[in-house]
Amino acid sequence: GANGGGTFSPGGGWQCSLTRLWADRMTMRPALRAAMPPQLSRLINQLRPNGSFSLHDGELTFRKPPSEIAALETEWNVRLGCHRGDLSCGIELQNITGTVHLAGRSDGQRCFSSGELELETVTYQDVQLTNVRGPFWVDESWCYLGAYAANHNGQPARRMSGNAYGGAIAGDGWVQFGVLPQYGVEAEIAGADLNRLIVERFGGRQS
């Protein structure tokens, strides 16, 4: 469901805004991607989401300047609910449950989104991370997490945070999309159950 309104300018431009958008059990089907602006569709394709999502209290604006050659501009500010979803964005993230706040725009030349992760749980390389929080930024070529995202947005440095093996994790990361994606992660863990980590990650014996 949604509320909406629009305006038209004397020169031929127009704007249409949708507010209080909501939807349940959405999937990123080909028909939905085809209806998106090309840059936004390519960004979604880079993330390769799988699973169902819900949309809460979203805002979506389409704007067409008067010039005949001007591209359609799109802005969004939405909260996506994820339930056991997956992302294959150069690194494999599985069983994602929680909320993602997305705000971004597409202007015909480039497309980007920034926002906040508020995840109850996510699995990376068979490690279950819980209470994952922090900023991110993504476009068609890069994805930044933690301090990399904050720096790109001109904000004070803030790392991703979460919990694993009974301890607290803080980290930052980046992914460069491509045929062979590249990525880097810097992470620290404190207060973890070392015995549990060795048993679960390296198959050691419990002592």
Side-chain angles (χ1 to χ4, degrees):
N3 298 329
T7 59
F8 295 88
S9 66
W14 55 268
Q15 176 174 306
C16 176
S17 297
L18 301 174
T19 60
R20 301 188 66 182
L21 283 165
W22 64 268
D24 289 325
R25 295 186 294 276
M26 295 190 309
T27 58
M28 292 297 171
R29 299 177 180 176
L32 178 59
R33 299 183 192 185
M36 297 176 178
Q39 290 78 18
L40 178 57
S41 179
R42 285 197 293 269
L43 189 155
I44 296 296
N45 287 338
Q46 295 285 23
L47 298 175
R48 294 169 60 191
N50 183 45
S52 63
F53 304 85
S54 59
L55 178 65
H56 305 288
D57 198 24
E59 298 179 5
L60 183 61
T61 299
F62 300 97
R63 184 181 302 108
K64 181 66 170 65
S67 171
E68 293 184 0
I69 62 172
L72 177 68
E73 301 173 1
T74 310
E75 296 181 0
W76 54 90
N77 190 336
V78 301
R79 293 182 68 86
L80 288 177
C82 311
H83 180 67
R84 299 183 64 83
D86 301 328
L87 291 179
S88 300
C89 52
I91 57 176
E92 303 292 326
L93 301 176
Q94 301 172 321
N95 301 317
I96 302 170
T97 298
T99 302
V100 180
H101 177 208
L102 285 167
R105 68 187 307 266
S106 171
D107 61 7
Q109 298 296 320
R110 64 190 299 256
C111 176
F112 69 91
S113 256
S114 61
E116 286 282 327
L117 298 177
E118 301 173 1
L119 305 181
E120 297 171 20
T121 181
V122 58
T123 302
Y124 172 61
Q125 292 189 351
D126 295 325
V127 178
Q128 184 184 35
L129 307 174
T130 59
N131 302 316
V132 177
R133 301 287 187 273
F136 73 93
W137 186 96
V138 60
D139 69 2
E140 300 167 59
S141 302
W142 293 87
C143 178
Y144 298 124
L145 298 167
Y148 291 105
N151 180 67
H152 200 84
N153 288 325
Q155 300 172 344
R158 184 158 55 95
R159 310 190 78 184
M160 298 294 298
S161 63
N163 300 102
Y165 300 115
I169 292 179
D172 313 297
W174 56 267
V175 178
Q176 184 177 17
F177 303 127
V179 177
L180 293 175
Q182 301 181 45
Y183 65 92
V185 176
E186 303 165 6
E188 301 172 355
I189 186 168
D193 184 335
L194 182 59
N195 188 60
R196 176 183 164 192
L197 188 154
I198 293 173
V199 171
E200 294 186 12
R201 293 299 296 166
F202 306 108
R205 294 184 178 181
Q206 190 169 5
S207 59

